[in-house]
Amino acid sequence: QVKLQESGPGLVKPSETLSLTCTVSGGSISSYYWSWIRQPPGKGLEYIGYSYYSGSTNYNPSLKSRVTISVDTSKNQFSLKLSSVTAADTAVYYCARSGSYRGNFDYWGQGTLVTVSS
Amino acid sequence: QSVLTQPPSVSAAPGQKVTISCSENSSNIGNNYVSWYQQLPGTAPKLLIYDNNKRPSGIPDRFSGSKSGTSATLGITGLQTGDEADYYCETWDSSLSTVIFGGGTKLTVL
């Protein structure tokens, strides 16, 4: 059974860089698309972007200038970096897997709350 | 930018049927697959329907999906109190080349 687990700081200061890692267990990171999706408290889901296992990426245009997603196949992990954060970036961040770059997320991590505050 | 519109809330009695709509002002739903997710309180979303009307293994046939034109619909029959959750539709925005989600619908089983 594939399992995804997010890890990283739960508190980030404004203007700094948010960094999260998702560890994939129970399956290979190869041949899938690995995405980050976030959910501000009490609000809906927002797609951040993906990295294919080969390294190709795609980002939500609204966040593209601040986002980097990368895959480390040797560790079966992928990561998210979001720069210049503000309070508006406070959210639960989920990592997820899909077989297509067009969505259809079949496995999700449990999510991790990241708060942006000084 | 395409917006996927869902009703904020729907409700029905146990054992009844409910439908949740997902509509847009563009052609993304018409040209791409739609997925549906169930998010129980305090948990991560769970894939319910993919490729418009397919159910992943383990999802009961009480859940169904359909699509017509610029709208998609999630149907749930034999409602149970355990179905109380937020439901989201999702598709691909061909113009922006990104995944988009609907705003979500809160289902209450009275």
Side-chain angles (χ1 to χ4, degrees):
Chain A
Q1 177 76 345
V2 175
K3 187 174 180 181
L4 284 68
Q5 178 67 58
E6 304 89 349
S7 59
L11 181 64
V12 180
K13 290 182 169 53
S15 79
E16 295 190 344
T17 296
L18 178 161
S19 296
L20 295 175
T21 297
C22 183
T23 300
V24 180
S25 59
S28 173
I29 206 164
S30 298
S31 302
Y32 288 100
Y33 295 82
W34 302 96
S35 296
W36 290 93
I37 297 157
R38 70 181 183 179
Q39 184 172 36
K43 297 188 178 181
L45 301 169
E46 180 181 29
Y47 181 70
I48 299 172
Y50 75 72
S51 178
Y52 191 43
Y53 79 101
S54 62
S56 64
T57 57
N58 176 275
Y59 304 131
N60 186 327
S62 68
L63 298 168
K64 187 174 183 177
S65 63
R66 300 193 290 131
V67 172
T68 302
I69 298 175
S70 58
V71 170
D72 186 336
T73 55
S74 66
K75 295 182 179 179
N76 244 33
Q77 294 177 333
F78 63 106
S79 64
L80 167 70
K81 292 189 186 301
L82 180 65
S83 64
S84 305
V85 297
T86 68
D89 295 309
T90 294
V92 174
Y93 285 76
Y94 295 101
C95 57
R97 187 190 86 166
S98 62
S100 165
Y101 67 90
R102 297 187 178 206
N104 177 10
F105 305 101
D106 57 356
Y107 287 97
W108 295 65
Q110 64 184 24
T112 186
L113 174 63
V114 178
T115 301
V116 178
S117 175
S118 56
Chain B
Q1 180 178 350
S2 176
V3 174
L4 297 182
T5 301
Q6 298 182 233
S9 63
V10 296
S11 62
Q16 297 300 305
K17 174 183 178 178
V18 71
T19 59
I20 297 173
S21 61
C22 174
S23 62
E24 65 160 347
N25 58 354
S26 185
S27 57
N28 294 302
I29 286 181
N31 293 331
N32 296 287
Y33 287 124
V34 175
S35 298
W36 289 91
Y37 302 87
Q38 176 193 60
Q39 186 175 32
L40 297 169
T43 69
K46 174 184 177 181
L47 181 64
L48 275 184
I49 298 290
Y50 68 99
D51 290 359
N52 304 328
N53 54 20
K54 297 182 174 64
R55 285 177 287 106
S57 174
I59 301 299
D61 58 8
R62 299 189 299 108
F63 296 91
S64 64
S66 63
K67 187 178 83 169
S68 178
T70 59
S71 294
T73 302
L74 173 70
I76 311 173
T77 60
L79 277 172
Q80 303 172 1
T81 55
D83 296 331
E84 284 202 337
D86 293 324
Y87 292 83
Y88 294 89
C89 60
E90 171 255 293
T91 192
W92 176 255
D93 186 315
S94 301
S95 299
L96 295 178
S97 294
T98 190
V99 169
I100 51 175
F101 288 95
T105 298
K106 183 177 182 61
L107 169 64
T108 300
V109 181
L110 302 168

